[in-house]
């Protein structure tokens, strides 16, 4: 794991603000989170207000180590313990029955709670200094593009957040994988930084990725992770043609250009080549979407990557970014 980049002074300041019920943006390996004391119902409510997030949407509780899980959930089944041992710290969130110390404000009124140990040294240092759990949904307005740098947080939330703890750019770039382990069969409720293939290798059995779930978790809103520009999804071989047509129709078009598409469209507003590595693509995706907004695009043409490994998480985010507006 990389060394801690934030100063001890800033980490202690952030911990003190959390104890006082204030909001602190903190880096994780996935995205920057808008943090609050997980046991302070009033502070948790401030997170929802700051983001404009519906109070029925549960938050993830971030804790400092796998050995603390039993303090936050009713019980730790063998499957949960196995996954925690293999993937924590890291981009995996486990959904379990909540312990009494978790307020219903943090769970969206549910009797389940989502918990993870972040794989970022600054986040872990903050959790150690604070000495408790921290709810930390992405530090952006509800439904918009998640932030992967401290600058993204400051640009979007401004003084709504009391302090931004800068830990540099996020290394994974898409949110954690959420796995429901409340029953006998674990299932992926949100694809993310831990792949389905990784989970299956550890568990020794197939893991389902249902398209819908009765368990409410972050990132399930029909339109989510979305830039201001409209996102249209088409087949990879149609990206160039659709982008040129939209530009001719008067749109300011941005293109996420697949590696197989050559030089791309000749005359559109902005072209961003998609990295050949899925890890690089995931790390950069939200930055790409923000770039299109910054460059004044009103429409983004993209295609879905192969839905395996991290490609599944990227495809999930692009579908949510397109939301119900997409007709491609």
């Amino acid at each position: 794991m990389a060394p801690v980049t934030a100063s001890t002074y800033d980490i202690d300041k952030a911990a003190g603000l959390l104890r006082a019920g204030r909001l602190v943006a903190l880096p994780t390996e996935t995205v920057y989170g808008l943090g609050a004391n997980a046991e302070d119902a009033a502070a948790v409510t401030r997170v929802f207000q700051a983001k404009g997030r519906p109070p029925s949407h549960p938050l993830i509780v971030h804790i400092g180590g796998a050995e603390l899980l039993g303090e936050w959930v009713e019980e730790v089944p063998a499957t949960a313990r196995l996954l925690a041992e293999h993937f924590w710290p890291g981009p995996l969130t486990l959904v379990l029955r909540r312990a009494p110390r978790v307020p219903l404000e943090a769970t969206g009124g549910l009797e389940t709670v989502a918990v993870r140990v972040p794989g970022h040294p600054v986040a872990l240092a903050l959790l150690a200094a604070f000495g408790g759990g921290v709810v930390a949904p992405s530090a952006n307005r509800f439904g918009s593009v998640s932030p992967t740098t401290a600058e993204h947080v400051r640009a979007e939330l401004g003084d709504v957040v009391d302090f931004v703890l800068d830990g540099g750019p996020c290394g994974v770039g898409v949110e954690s994988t959420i796995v429901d382990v409340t029953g006998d069969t674990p299932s992926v409720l949100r694809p993310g930084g831990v792949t389905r293939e990784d989970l299956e290798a550890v568990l020794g059995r197939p893991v389902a990725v249902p398209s819908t779930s009765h368990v409410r978790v972050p990132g399930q809103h029909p339109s989510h992770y979305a830039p201001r520009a409209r996102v249209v999804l088409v087949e990879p071989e149609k990206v160039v043609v659709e982008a040129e047509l939209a530009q001719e129709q008067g749109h300011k078009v941005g293109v996420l250009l697949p590696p197989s598409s050559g030089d791309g469209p000749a005359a559109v507003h902005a072209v961003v080549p998609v990295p050949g590595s899925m890890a690089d693509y995931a790390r950069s995706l939200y930055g790409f979407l923000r770039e299109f907004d910054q460059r004044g695009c009103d429409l983004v043409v993209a295609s879905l990557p192969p839905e395996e490994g991290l490609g599944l998480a990227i495809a999930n985010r692009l579908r949510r970014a397109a939301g119900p507006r997409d007709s491609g």
Side-chain angles (χ1 to χ4, degrees):
M1 186 175 294
V4 176
T5 54
S7 69
T8 300
Y9 173 83
D10 282 348
I11 289 169
D12 288 343
K13 176 180 178 179
L17 288 169
L18 290 173
R19 293 188 198 100
R22 309 291 285 276
L23 304 185
V24 173
L26 64 144
T28 76
E29 78 281 23
T30 58
V31 300
Y32 272 72
L34 183 60
N37 182 351
E39 297 178 83
D40 183 339
V44 171
T45 298
R46 284 192 65 207
V47 171
F48 285 98
Q49 294 169 343
K51 284 177 59 67
R53 182 187 181 102
S56 60
H57 283 240
L59 306 179
I60 295 172
V61 176
H62 295 67
I63 61 176
E67 72 278 3
L68 302 174
L69 180 58
E71 300 178 15
W72 296 89
V73 301
E74 193 174 78
E75 65 174 318
V76 184
T79 297
R81 195 174 304 279
L82 179 62
L83 292 175
E85 288 173 354
H86 276 81
F87 296 111
W88 284 356
L92 177 71
T93 294
L94 301 178
V95 175
L96 292 156
R97 302 285 295 180
R98 74 178 181 96
R101 73 185 294 182
V102 182
L104 288 172
E105 286 83 356
T107 68
L110 301 176
E111 288 300 328
T112 54
V113 61
V115 185
R116 87 177 184 101
V117 178
H120 193 293
V122 174
L124 291 173
L126 174 59
L127 288 164
F130 174 57
V134 174
V135 295
S138 56
N140 56 281
R141 303 291 180 182
F142 180 71
S144 66
V145 179
S146 302
T148 53
T149 68
E151 289 73 23
H152 293 164
V153 179
R154 296 186 184 104
E156 182 152 351
L157 293 183
D159 58 8
V160 169
V161 58
D162 297 302
F163 185 62
V164 178
L165 187 59
D166 192 342
C170 299
V172 174
V174 292
E175 290 81 357
S176 61
T177 302
I178 300 179
V179 179
D180 180 8
V181 284
T182 57
D184 295 332
T185 304
S187 62
V188 174
L189 304 183
R190 181 183 70 183
V194 171
T195 69
R196 173 174 55 187
E197 292 84 352
D198 291 337
L199 294 169
E200 291 176 340
V202 168
L203 295 175
R205 53 176 159 157
V207 175
V209 186
S211 57
T212 60
S213 170
H214 68 282
V215 181
R216 295 199 306 272
V217 295
Q220 284 185 322
H221 194 266
S223 180
H224 214 86
Y225 316 114
R228 291 189 298 273
R230 180 186 176 209
V231 177
V232 175
L233 302 177
V234 300
E235 295 299 319
E237 64 273 14
K238 296 181 180 179
V239 167
V240 172
V241 172
E242 292 292 336
E244 290 177 339
L245 178 60
Q247 189 78 22
E248 290 172 4
Q249 293 172 341
H251 289 286
K252 292 183 177 179
V253 178
V255 180
L256 277 172
L257 187 68
S260 59
S261 297
D263 294 332
V268 297
H269 200 65
V271 176
V272 173
V274 170
S277 159
M278 287 297 102
D280 289 341
Y281 192 7
R283 189 179 302 114
S284 305
L285 174 62
Y286 292 148
F288 292 160
L289 295 179
R290 286 178 178 274
E291 180 181 342
F292 289 132
D293 279 345
Q294 291 165 358
R295 295 176 68 174
C297 298
D298 60 39
L299 188 144
V300 174
V301 179
S303 62
L304 299 179
E307 296 189 42
E308 57 189 25
L310 280 174
L312 180 62
I314 296 167
N316 171 270
R317 302 315 189 269
L318 286 171
R319 284 198 179 95
R320 296 290 182 178
R325 302 172 297 179
D326 175 48
S327 59

